[in-house]
Amino acid sequence: MGKPHLLAIDQGTTSTRVVVYDDRGQCLGSAAQELPQHYPQPGWVEHDAEEIWQSLEKVVPKALSAAGIKASDLTAIGLTNQRETCVLWDRRTGRPVGRALVWQDRRTTDFCRQHQDDEPWIYQRTGLVLDPYFSATKIRWILNQDPSWRTQAEAGRLAGGTIDSFLIWRLTAGQVFATDGTNASRTLLLDLKTGAWDAELCRYFDVPVAILPEVRPSAADFGVTRGLSFLPDGIPISGVAGDQQAALVGQMGFAPGDAKCTYGTGAFFLLHTGHQLVHSRHRLLTTLAATTGTQAQYALEGSIFVAGAAVQWLRDGLKVIESSSAVESLAGRSDLNQPVIFVPGFVGLGAPHWIPEARGVLFGLTRGTSVADVVRATLEGVAFQAVDLVQAACDDARQTLESLRVDGGMSRNEWFLQCQSDILGLPLLQAREIESTALGAAFLVGSRAGVWPDVQALRGLAQEPKRFDPRLPAAERSLRLDQWRKAVKTVIDFYQPDKD
């Protein structure tokens, strides 16, 4: 038998990426395709699940070609995906009944506000706050758009779930309808302690249990490929995780105290808490961590809804830059005496504030403000939010960090990483493999397939990261954080609904 080859599918918010890895965790070849997003109304964000599937059909052959191998050389497949985004489809045809609602979508804000008094018990059960971010209110909204859909759902003729469950269904020709615990823990329908769908929560959100997939461990049997034009039958699918939990695995985050921040479309900080389920006092999330075993492990998570998406806005919305890579040199040319602060709340503020009505606000504009100053403020706005998350999580877990591991597209920007280190006051460790999400999926599938027998074998694959140490004096750091928090409070006061 030849050397192992692992195919990692990374289905993200803005693209579908496929990577082929060898038994050293080295990328042999990859391919990606951008994915359109649809914005039918302000605050509404949708995907066409068929477009997601079609992108996968195109990029898998390209990744195999780039790796110089045939599909028949593959040992197994791993899958990681954008979380919370949900879709419903017909069990007979596999066709979606409508567009998928993306995690950024805010259309269920009114429902969440109206039921805010119920958040304490929901949080204790699920580890999640009652926010449009999560899947349950989205599934409820979809079902309410057509009475026949709800009838079909209750009769078991529709399937519904996060993107991983849809792709598994398609990859296996409908033979397997399953999700993993990390994705299930982002729906508001899973009891974190039992790891099972909760009947009371399903009734509360009016989501029929009959439409939901089976919940399996992240490293487990998810069936084999069947009936595909781009892959042969019989390739095992044996690792599945939500993108942020996969990135924690890709960053060798297996033990309590391990932490990472991934800067993609949004930015996501995770702090591993081991077998201890920690409920946050700062409205961070408690979520299942991906593991190579079967015993449940947990993490505290803070979510920033807009990170790389803010750079895309500079490029595609304002059209002040021609490419995303231009922000690094522009930020470096900014006038630090220009007091610009940007709170990038385009689709609301996530943890620890959870204000879905918030929107982006620029402070401190003068006649001397330049594009470079706005670019700098955009990057700083992401970095400031990350500081809030790290400090809240460390307080919840009663521990301190010695450093923070970082990955994702924005972590290629060294100006940004130095800025983040300065504002955080901690060393940043830049992953050599920037796309740790796909790597984490490969680690999960490889552990299940026996390529790496244990966590120690995985740790032996780690490469030395590049380090960024803080340079900003503590007094200046404190002053800038105070200014940032004053700006955030102003945004919240302006947008938060008046309470009776």
Side-chain angles (χ1 to χ4, degrees):
M1 183 176 178
K3 288 186 176 181
H5 294 102
L6 306 172
L7 185 80
I9 298 169
D10 181 0
Q11 202 300 296
T13 311
T14 56
S15 69
T16 298
R17 184 169 180 264
V18 174
V19 188
V20 179
Y21 292 98
D22 64 13
D23 58 351
R24 299 170 298 156
Q26 297 295 307
C27 170
L28 299 179
S30 68
Q33 179 174 312
E34 286 197 12
L35 187 68
Q37 289 185 315
H38 305 277
Y39 305 95
Q41 295 184 32
W44 291 27
V45 189
E46 299 176 350
H47 278 158
D48 184 328
E50 282 298 328
E51 290 177 342
I52 291 176
W53 177 252
Q54 290 162 10
S55 70
L56 185 61
E57 289 180 314
K58 292 176 182 176
V59 295
V60 167
K62 291 179 181 178
L64 293 171
S65 176
I69 67 168
K70 302 186 296 294
S72 58
D73 294 328
L74 292 174
T75 304
I77 296 171
L79 170 63
T80 182
N81 57 284
Q82 54 173 313
R83 304 169 305 169
E84 297 92 25
T85 298
C86 56
V87 62
L88 270 64
W89 65 95
D90 189 307
R91 288 178 181 264
R92 294 165 299 178
T93 65
R95 303 284 297 184
V97 300
R99 283 181 176 168
L101 303 195
V102 178
W103 57 273
Q104 297 168 314
D105 192 278
R106 306 273 89 191
R107 73 187 67 188
T108 60
T109 294
D110 287 346
F111 174 90
C112 294
R113 284 294 182 208
Q114 292 162 7
H115 294 81
Q116 205 64 41
D117 290 346
D118 292 323
E119 184 178 271
W121 75 265
I122 293 172
Y123 177 73
Q124 286 298 314
R125 194 84 54 91
T126 67
L128 308 178
V129 300
L130 185 56
D131 188 86
Y133 180 24
F134 306 106
S135 309
T137 62
K138 300 179 192 298
I139 297 173
R140 177 183 180 275
W141 188 92
I142 295 172
L143 288 172
N144 287 343
Q145 299 315 295
D146 186 329
S148 69
W149 291 351
R150 183 167 291 281
T151 301
Q152 293 177 61
E154 291 171 350
R157 294 197 293 272
L158 293 186
T162 43
I163 294 299
D164 60 308
S165 60
F166 173 72
L167 293 180
I168 292 167
W169 179 283
R170 284 291 189 89
L171 287 167
T172 63
Q175 297 301 298
V176 177
F177 182 37
T179 186
D180 91 299
T182 66
N183 279 291
S185 71
R186 313 296 296 188
T187 60
L188 281 171
L189 300 172
L190 189 86
D191 186 319
L192 270 188
K193 293 180 180 177
T194 66
W197 299 122
D198 185 285
E200 184 179 4
L201 287 167
C202 289
R203 286 193 298 271
Y204 180 85
F205 289 106
D206 209 10
V207 174
V209 179
I211 72 169
L212 298 175
E214 178 186 348
V215 182
R216 300 181 182 180
S218 296
D221 174 18
F222 289 89
V224 298
T225 54
R226 180 174 176 179
L228 304 174
S229 62
F230 57 98
L231 286 171
D233 290 355
I235 302 175
I237 305 163
S238 50
V240 176
D243 52 10
Q244 301 312 315
Q245 289 96 330
L248 185 60
V249 171
Q251 288 269 37
M252 302 295 174
F254 301 109
D258 290 342
K260 69 89 194 176
C261 191
T262 299
Y263 302 91
T265 302
F268 302 88
F269 169 78
L270 266 71
L271 175 64
H272 205 299
T273 62
H275 300 300
Q276 183 181 9
L277 195 164
V278 177
H279 281 108
S280 171
R281 299 183 300 279
H282 300 86
R283 302 191 79 208
L284 300 186
L285 309 176
T286 306
T287 192
L288 283 170
T291 70
T292 57
T294 57
Q295 187 175 1
Q297 296 191 43
Y298 302 93
L300 282 169
E301 177 176 334
S303 309
I304 299 168
F305 295 151
V306 172
V311 177
Q312 290 177 323
W313 168 72
L314 293 172
R315 183 192 67 189
D316 303 332
L318 292 188
K319 301 186 186 302
V320 295
I321 56 173
E322 292 187 1
S323 66
S324 297
S325 59
V327 296
E328 184 168 2
S329 60
L330 265 174
R333 297 200 300 270
S334 171
D335 180 359
L336 297 181
N337 292 317
Q338 285 292 327
V340 185
I341 297 175
F342 182 32
V343 181
F346 294 102
V347 291
L349 291 173
H353 311 290
W354 298 107
I355 309 294
E357 297 88 355
R359 293 297 179 260
V361 179
L362 269 167
F363 293 87
L365 298 180
T366 72
R367 286 290 299 272
T369 301
S370 68
V371 168
D373 301 325
V374 174
V375 167
R376 183 201 80 220
T378 301
L379 298 180
E380 288 178 340
V382 176
F384 278 124
Q385 289 180 93
V387 174
D388 291 341
L389 300 182
V390 172
Q391 292 182 349
C394 289
D395 185 60
D396 284 331
R398 293 182 172 85
Q399 58 187 252
T400 58
L401 295 184
E402 294 183 1
S403 61
L404 178 64
R405 307 172 196 185
V406 296
D407 64 279
M410 284 184 71
S411 69
R412 293 188 178 93
N413 183 332
E414 295 195 356
W415 187 96
F416 171 72
L417 293 189
Q418 186 59 56
C419 168
Q420 181 71 87
S421 177
D422 286 341
I423 295 173
L424 185 59
L426 285 175
L428 257 61
L429 305 179
Q430 180 195 44
R432 291 297 184 184
E433 174 56 65
I434 294 298
E435 303 295 345
S436 296
T437 303
L439 183 60
F443 285 167
L444 289 169
V445 69
S447 67
R448 175 71 177 179
V451 177
W452 302 294
D454 51 36
V455 168
Q456 287 306 115
L458 288 172
R459 289 193 187 278
L461 302 174
Q463 296 179 309
E464 187 67 25
K466 185 171 183 178
R467 182 183 175 105
F468 294 80
D469 289 301
R471 301 171 184 168
L472 197 65
E476 187 174 348
R477 179 183 307 120
S478 179
L479 175 62
R480 299 198 64 201
L481 283 169
D482 287 344
Q483 293 171 335
W484 161 255
R485 286 165 183 159
K486 183 177 179 180
V488 170
K489 182 179 184 302
T490 302
V491 172
I492 291 173
D493 289 344
F494 185 86
Y495 284 104
Q496 192 167 37
D498 295 331
K499 296 183 179 180
D500 296 332

